[in-house]
Amino acid sequence: MKIYSTLSGKKEEFAPSGGEVKIYVCGVTPYSDAHIGHAMSYVIFDVIRRYLRYKKYTVKYVQNVTDIDDKIIDRANQLGIAPSELAKKYTDSYFEDMENLNIVKAEGDVYPLATEEIPKIIEVIQGLIDKGHAYPAGGSVYFRVRSAPDYGKLSHRSPDDMRAAECTIGSGEKEDAMDFVLWKATKPGEPYWESPWGQGRPGWHIECSAMSLKYLGDTLDIHGGGQDLIFPHHENEIAQSESFTGKKPFVKYWLHNGLVQLGGDKMSKSLGNLITIKEALKKYSADALRIFILSSHYRSPLTYSEEGLEAAKRGAERLLRAVSRDDSAGGKGEAFDAESYRKQFIEAMDDDFNTARALAVLFDLASAINQACDAGVSIGNAQSTLLSLGRDVLGLRLPRIIYGQASIKVTGTLTARGTVIPGTVNTRVHRLVEERLNCRKEKNWQRADEIRNKLAELGVILEDTKTETDFNYKSVPSEEALDKFIAELGL
Ligand SMILES: [Zn+2]
């Protein structure tokens, strides 16, 4: 397996340092609802985790919550509530969004809160001071960038460039304009914690170093985040962690996802063009959103568009239809072998998590399943392959529904995969579908439409092909409702 690291600027053979793959991804600052940019980043790192687990790696995952920050304090002051209350509200909101997006919280994964890790943060800052990499000034503590000679190696910038960029916002307390804050002295009315340097709160960068050290140790295999975090955040994390432990590299593979754009601009709070995950999920399923995100390479920018999401929605339906088709051959006779598709899928994912190609393989497999099913070839195993790759690796829910064909005789209870439709219900639906087919033959369009609409109302969706009518269940209608309708039709 090859993965691209921002540090080397190329694809490298993946060789984790130990028995488990240690992954750290920068989490959110909870001061408002998470948006599509967050969905992109966390879906991607969810798929990466899922894929590594699919490949039988043991994965240990840590993602922080920056629950104390200028943005939280400012927003809480605007609303007249405590910063901790605001942070709690949007932390809960964030995890609710993640659950809705089917992002897994595996056993052993840790989501530490900055406010609960103050002792570790203080310990790391003190260690940096002791080694001459940091200094207190005016109640704050700063990292001495000059003390990290390879500073800039991740973002490929020279110290002079960075110094020029930082000069305008230099603070009088700092030895050098490039130095960044590790501990911020408290200002009146702000939340604070006691420290050896007085009352204050941690800076953002040190939080990630402290938490990764605490939960994952000195060396991480994968560190992830959006491309907007490369500089200064991740550059600073490297400087802090490597200076503290004296071990290099802090991280073996740095993975950065592209950013979501809207009409050519970055989607951001400051531009006021955010689409929240909650808004998007009102219109589209999590499967559609995930397919939309995974349809382009994770390192490329993703342009948010309704057309793109509509296409993803149709894609989700295509996959669902293929896995929901009734295996009429029932495992007898010739069986469709999907192994070559599975291999292609793995090949794509092994190539720096090329989800766009992997998804294309699943769509090809869906078409092949449909063709095989039409030809009377047994498709059960192929459907299992599609389900396993779609669900386990790409995190799609693919809520399979039984997909019948009116031309097939129903005998007994249909207990096919997924939802179990009672035979008594299925028989009644079949009767109605057949009645509608008769109406169509007799060109009684009004009655045919009446049956179609009523069935849709009851949760059964009909789809006409050239030769037959297929139907699927969005929900299971009651026998009573079906009987009532059958009686109304005089059947
Ligand atoms: Zn971070």
Side-chain angles (χ1 to χ4, degrees), residues 6 19 72-73 121 132 156 198 236 331 351 441:
T6 309
I72 293 174
I73 295 171
I121 292 170
H156 310 291
N236 292 353
D351 181 12
K441 271 181 211 144

Side-chain angles (χ1 to χ4, degrees), residues 24-27 64 204-205 207-209 223-224 229 233-234 237:
Y24 186 93
V25 173
C26 295
N64 65 310
W204 169 39
H205 313 301
E207 178 193 321
C208 288
S209 284
H223 191 316
L229 296 185
H233 184 56
H234 289 163
E237 278 189 40

